[in-house]
Amino acid sequence: MTAPVDLVWLGSAEDAPLWPRGSLSVAGPSPAGVAASLARLLASERSAPWILFWAPSAGSVPDADVLDRLLGQPGDVFHAGLALGTGGLPGLIDFVSPTWMLNRDPDVTIEATSWRLSLETCLVRTDTVRQLGGVRADFLTISGCGLELGHRLVSRGAFVRHVPSLLGSSAPSPSRSVDLPLEDELRFVALRFGRRWALWALARAILTGAAVAADALRAARRIAHLPLPPPLPVYRRPASESAVRRDGRVTVLIPTVDRYPYLVTLLDQLRRQTAPPYEVLVIDQTSSENRTADLLKRFADLPLQVFRRDQAGQCSSRNAGLAAATGDLVLFLDDDEEIPDDFVERHLRSLQRFGADVSCGVVEEIGAGPLPEAFSYLRTSDVFPAGNSLVRREVLERSGLFDLAFDRGPRADHDLGMRIYLSGTFMVMDPGISVLHHHAPRGGLRKHGARVITYASSRSRLTHRALPAVSEMYLENRYFTGRQVREARWLAVLGTFSIRGGWGRRLLKGLVSLLLLPDTLRILFIRGRAARRMMSRFPQIPVLGA
């Protein structure tokens, strides 16, 4: 039996289709009409578990086979927005969140995570909009309110997927573009990031010529009294009722250098796992004069293999381990972490429950303070921590391994995560899967002089500035536009003025950062030039099995 689906028709009653799967609501093409239709559906006791928004400009409504296939997939929202021209919109987001992973659009022809939905073709779980809110009626365009809805849903835990096959054979031209008024762009930023960021985005748009000053000021006046929503709840999806298997051959991959005391603790915790690993691969890069030889004997009860490398490097070592791995899944860990006894089992449960191909957990760092609120609830992952991620082997076969450009610099995991995300892979971030990271004072990237100043230290010390490393700038150059890269630099400068504490401490930080501003700009210029030079030599991404 097919699941009921209500239809919200963004056209007139005269051209509305027959709809036997649920109720039909004629909303017309205006945000106010769509918002009113959705509100009536949500208030009804007979509403279907799914709602399909559809516009006549998108062609014929999907047939039963297309809908049934999507309802059987993991996800809360399915849409074809990118295929309808929503890519890169709204442009003002580049001034507040320029290099966010999900701000880089995947290819319009593949199924992939994307919040840039279009209400012209959108299938959404009714309970999702019931919990997180529906369509805002105060936008000028359907495109504007759809983008705000998509960003809101994905930010609060809904799984939002772009599915071009939703359009079927009646797909519009791939060259189609969406005209989004500046007022709607500014309204989006104010609703999703707050008034201060809206003012920042508007100022940067004027300064860079992205917006005409007169138009920008008119848009600002029109949304000056825009009512901002209260803090949004976190999406709560129903618990899985199916039995959870703990199967899957898991290869645990641990690079190490100069951290044997920490490594021994982690290996001891791996031997107590409720779902034992299939194999544990340690890639030891410790110098030969300091290298231990008793790991295999000490942990004879573990399926442990130790590979020794004379040349230290985080990417080359992990790639060597991946080349030797024989498991169906790979679990990435750092050598200075601690894990609970059901750690591997929790990752396997996450993959099975959500039908995901990558399970990412959170990394609790000693002395770093509480994690940001976005890391406290289940959601689509926009991170790929190499110290707490489980990935299916076939995913790495599609994405490639670690780029050797990051062998001695930060963000190797984020680069791999970008390629995994852009391949269409479904990634889940579960805060219930946590590791304790000791942030060891030696070994790891510290051996190469990286991560001397962290984000946490920059927010607690007056003279610390968390400026992007050369490899981070290289990553931005690889995946983002020139404007996004430029705005990321200005946000880095803005971040040097931030510190935790009272007003006196904030004022002092501001004065210190102002004095250091010429040096900050000098460092960013030098590193940016080095990052551009890297583009001529990299990427160097080995292929699994090659």
Side-chain angles (χ1 to χ4, degrees):
M1 181 177 179
T2 57
V5 178
D6 291 332
L7 174 63
V8 176
W9 179 249
L10 277 65
S12 65
E14 290 74 20
D15 59 9
L18 295 175
W19 190 251
R21 293 190 65 148
S23 67
L24 168 65
S25 178
V26 178
S30 71
V34 175
S37 292
L38 178 59
R40 287 193 293 270
L41 284 177
L42 296 180
S44 172
E45 296 180 355
R46 294 181 297 174
S47 60
W50 290 85
I51 300 171
L52 176 66
F53 296 88
W54 203 265
S57 58
S60 302
V61 293
D63 60 31
D65 290 342
V66 171
L67 291 178
D68 291 340
R69 180 181 71 84
L70 293 179
L71 298 183
Q73 293 184 187
D76 304 299
V77 186
F78 303 99
H79 67 92
L82 296 179
L84 294 178
T86 61
L89 296 175
L92 285 186
I93 197 174
D94 288 348
F95 298 104
V96 295
S97 188
T99 55
W100 176 41
M101 178 185 286
L102 302 188
N103 199 23
R104 168 66 155 84
D105 293 319
D107 191 289
V108 300
T109 64
I110 67 171
E111 295 190 13
T113 292
S114 174
W115 57 270
R116 286 183 162 113
L117 67 81
S118 169
L119 285 172
E120 295 181 54
T121 57
C122 180
L123 177 67
V124 59
R125 198 183 296 271
T126 304
D127 194 49
T128 302
V129 288
R130 183 170 279 130
Q131 290 187 44
L132 300 180
V135 175
R136 299 262 322 193
D138 45 10
F139 277 86
L140 300 178
T141 63
I142 286 292
S143 298
C145 62
L147 289 164
E148 190 277 331
L149 176 64
H151 191 278
R152 182 183 353 131
L153 297 184
V154 82
S155 297
R156 301 309 291 176
F159 298 150
V160 186
R161 299 282 287 174
H162 173 255
V163 184
S165 61
L166 190 61
L167 289 166
S169 59
S170 58
S173 167
S175 61
R176 171 180 171 174
S177 61
V178 173
D179 183 20
L180 193 63
L182 180 61
E183 183 179 333
D184 271 2
E185 295 207 14
L186 192 59
R187 186 176 282 109
F188 171 95
V189 176
L191 290 170
R192 298 303 311 129
F193 297 92
R195 295 189 193 278
R196 291 183 181 179
W197 282 113
L199 290 174
W200 169 268
L202 201 61
R204 289 295 304 155
I206 294 172
L207 288 172
T208 59
V212 177
D215 295 340
L217 293 176
R218 277 194 296 269
R221 282 197 297 269
R222 287 171 183 158
I223 72 158
H225 302 293
L226 176 71
L228 299 184
L232 289 170
V234 173
Y235 182 50
R236 304 293 181 188
R237 55 178 39 81
S240 174
E241 297 179 358
S242 60
V244 178
R245 302 187 307 272
R246 295 184 299 175
D247 55 0
R249 300 187 307 167
V250 177
T251 295
V252 180
L253 183 58
I254 311 169
T256 189
V257 55
D258 291 329
R259 290 176 177 172
Y260 289 127
Y262 295 97
L263 176 64
V264 166
T265 299
L266 178 58
L267 292 176
D268 186 55
Q269 292 166 343
L270 283 170
R271 70 189 349 160
R272 299 198 300 267
Q273 291 297 301
T274 55
Y278 171 70
E279 61 186 1
V280 179
L281 308 183
V282 171
I283 315 300
D284 190 356
Q285 308 150 77
T286 306
S287 59
S288 57
E289 63 271 16
N290 297 321
R291 193 175 289 162
T292 185
D294 68 344
L295 287 177
L296 291 174
K297 181 179 180 181
R298 189 169 179 176
F299 294 95
D301 55 327
L302 271 179
L304 176 65
Q305 299 180 59
V306 178
F307 299 86
R308 295 180 174 86
R309 294 178 64 85
D310 295 327
Q311 185 69 35
Q314 60 166 342
C315 297
S316 54
S317 63
R318 284 194 173 102
N319 287 346
L322 289 169
T326 59
D328 307 313
L329 305 112
V330 178
L331 177 59
F332 294 101
L333 286 173
D334 286 335
D335 55 0
D336 58 343
E337 294 176 335
E338 292 192 43
I339 60 175
D341 292 351
D342 62 348
F343 179 73
V344 176
E345 180 179 347
R346 288 190 183 192
H347 269 299
L348 290 171
R349 284 174 175 267
S350 181
L351 289 188
Q352 181 185 339
R353 177 185 173 190
F354 304 114
D357 293 313
V358 176
S359 170
C360 301
V362 298
V363 180
E364 304 272 0
E365 291 199 357
I366 293 178
L371 289 169
E373 193 251 354
F375 289 86
S376 67
Y377 55 87
L378 184 76
R379 59 186 175 86
T380 297
S381 187
D382 56 1
V383 294
F384 183 78
N388 190 3
S389 293
L390 179 69
V391 56
R392 298 189 189 278
R393 180 183 177 90
E394 59 263 29
V395 170
L396 297 173
E397 291 173 350
R398 293 196 302 267
S399 67
L401 306 184
F402 288 93
D403 185 352
L404 295 177
F406 300 89
D407 213 20
R408 300 192 174 194
R411 291 293 185 267
D413 48 1
H414 194 77
D415 174 80
L416 178 56
M418 280 290 299
R419 284 182 276 121
I420 290 174
Y421 151 66
L422 291 173
S423 73
T425 301
F426 182 35
M427 304 195 296
V428 172
M429 200 284 295
D430 187 345
I433 309 173
S434 178
V435 301
L436 179 64
H437 186 204
H438 283 282
H439 218 60
R442 59 179 294 179
L445 284 176
R446 282 169 178 75
K447 188 175 181 67
H448 311 303
R451 286 186 181 162
V452 176
I453 295 178
T454 64
Y455 176 88
S457 71
S458 73
R459 265 44 177 184
S460 61
R461 299 186 184 184
L462 293 175
T463 59
H464 276 205
R465 294 164 290 170
L467 300 176
V470 173
S471 58
E472 293 175 276
M473 292 183 173
Y474 160 79
L475 182 146
E476 292 168 352
N477 290 337
R478 279 256 294 148
Y479 297 105
F480 296 96
T481 66
R483 181 169 85 171
Q484 290 168 330
V485 170
R486 181 195 65 210
E487 294 307 314
R489 303 291 186 271
W490 281 112
L491 289 176
V493 172
L494 187 65
T496 64
F497 289 81
S498 298
I499 196 170
R500 299 187 182 100
W503 284 107
R505 189 167 173 79
R506 293 181 186 181
L507 179 60
L508 189 57
K509 175 73 170 184
L511 291 174
V512 170
S513 297
L514 191 61
L515 291 173
L516 293 174
L517 182 58
D519 185 60
T520 297
L521 297 176
R522 180 188 65 83
I523 292 172
L524 289 174
F525 175 78
I526 292 172
R527 292 181 181 179
R529 186 170 55 187
R532 290 190 294 273
R533 287 198 298 267
M534 285 181 67
M535 295 290 288
S536 64
R537 296 184 290 121
F538 298 101
Q540 295 179 21
I541 303 171
V543 178
L544 191 61

